[in-house]
Amino acid sequence: QVQLQESGPGLVRPSETLSLTCTVSGASISINNYYWGWIRQPPGQGLEWIGSRYYSGSTYYNPSLKSRVTISVDPSKNQFSLKLRSVTAADTAVYYCARHVWDEQMFDHWGRGTLVIVSS
Amino acid sequence: DIQMTQSPSSLSASVGDRVSITCRASQSIRNYLNWYQQKSGKAPKLLIYGTSSLQSGVPSRFSGSGSGTDFTLTISSLQPEDFATYYCQQGYITDLYTFGQGTTLEIK
């Protein structure tokens, strides 16, 4: 079955760049109709979509984060990555990677999530 | 932005009860409405997509309905494992997917 696993530092200093990688198993990242996305959840709060990317390059970002975010895909490793620049304490959250099914516009498989704390 | 508003924010119910959670969009989203269940410390799990389609493996006691701006998630007979937080999500605007604020379902 499809599985996703986030990895990356759990602590990032303010003004630096948050970098996370999602490794996909059980499915190819280069399959038609599937985008690969990131969603975050601040402690005790709701869900916020960050962005989604297709393996061949088409990308959508949340306008509120667009100036600071880059999502990339590495089909050779079956991985995709998130970079969020110039972080502040407000970026502290659990970050989830997820498979984004384009036709239905739904997120059908999620990673377990990784907590990233922004603090000096 | 399309705002998604869920009601109630929290709900107390008993095992065996029938419960409904409402999600209202600030503009029409056709049928691009999905529902997720999140248990404490876990990732969200897709329950319903396209307003009323049951995701594979999800029990049939879960159902969804609605169209346009008003949508409902119904659990026909609550089971102990259903106590969780539920989120709706609109998929109509492709550069700004938004979630409702969540509804926490608690044991009475």
Side-chain angles (χ1 to χ4, degrees):
Chain A
Q1 74 277 24
V2 181
Q3 293 185 318
L4 297 90
Q5 178 67 58
E6 304 88 353
S7 59
L11 179 65
V12 181
R13 301 196 186 283
S15 80
E16 296 189 345
T17 297
L18 179 160
S19 296
L20 296 174
T21 296
C22 183
T23 301
V24 180
S25 58
S28 171
I29 207 167
S30 305
I31 192 168
N32 288 343
N33 193 43
Y34 294 110
Y35 278 60
W36 302 92
W38 291 93
I39 295 142
R40 70 181 182 177
Q41 185 172 36
Q45 298 186 38
L47 300 162
E48 179 182 37
W49 172 73
I50 299 170
S52 297
R53 181 169 178 135
Y54 197 52
Y55 75 93
S56 62
S58 176
T59 310
Y60 295 90
Y61 294 127
N62 188 321
S64 70
L65 298 169
K66 189 173 184 176
S67 63
R68 299 193 290 131
V69 173
T70 301
I71 296 175
S72 58
V73 171
D74 187 341
S76 68
K77 295 181 179 178
N78 225 38
Q79 294 176 336
F80 61 106
S81 299
L82 169 71
K83 289 190 184 300
L84 180 64
R85 297 174 290 278
S86 303
V87 297
T88 69
D91 295 309
T92 293
V94 175
Y95 286 76
Y96 296 100
C97 59
R99 189 173 77 168
H100 178 171
V101 185
W102 189 254
D103 281 353
E104 285 79 20
Q105 294 298 349
M106 65 187 187
F107 300 96
D108 70 339
H109 287 87
W110 296 60
R112 292 184 176 182
T114 187
L115 174 62
V116 179
I117 297 172
V118 179
S119 175
S120 56
Chain B
D1 299 8
I2 296 181
Q3 307 301 318
M4 306 300 292
T5 303
Q6 290 182 230
S7 60
S9 296
S10 62
L11 175 61
S12 294
S14 301
V15 173
D17 284 354
R18 177 184 179 91
V19 299
S20 292
I21 298 168
T22 297
C23 180
R24 174 165 289 175
S26 58
Q27 66 184 74
S28 176
I29 57 171
R30 296 171 59 188
N31 72 330
Y32 288 97
L33 191 285
N34 308 313
W35 290 97
Y36 301 84
Q37 175 194 66
Q38 186 178 34
K39 296 183 179 179
S40 182
K42 302 293 187 183
K45 172 188 173 183
L46 178 68
L47 298 176
I48 302 282
Y49 63 94
T51 297
S52 59
S53 295
L54 198 65
Q55 174 68 348
S56 175
V58 174
S60 60
R61 62 181 179 273
F62 291 92
S63 63
S65 63
S67 67
T69 60
D70 294 311
F71 303 87
T72 302
L73 172 70
T74 299
I75 309 172
S76 61
S77 178
L78 274 173
Q79 297 302 300
E81 60 268 30
D82 299 338
F83 293 94
T85 299
Y86 292 84
Y87 293 93
C88 61
Q89 172 246 322
Q90 65 84 13
Y92 183 65
I93 301 295
T94 57
D95 61 353
L96 186 48
Y97 303 100
T98 46
F99 293 84
Q101 82 277 16
T103 295
T104 300
L105 182 52
E106 300 169 328
I107 301 174
K108 184 182 285 184

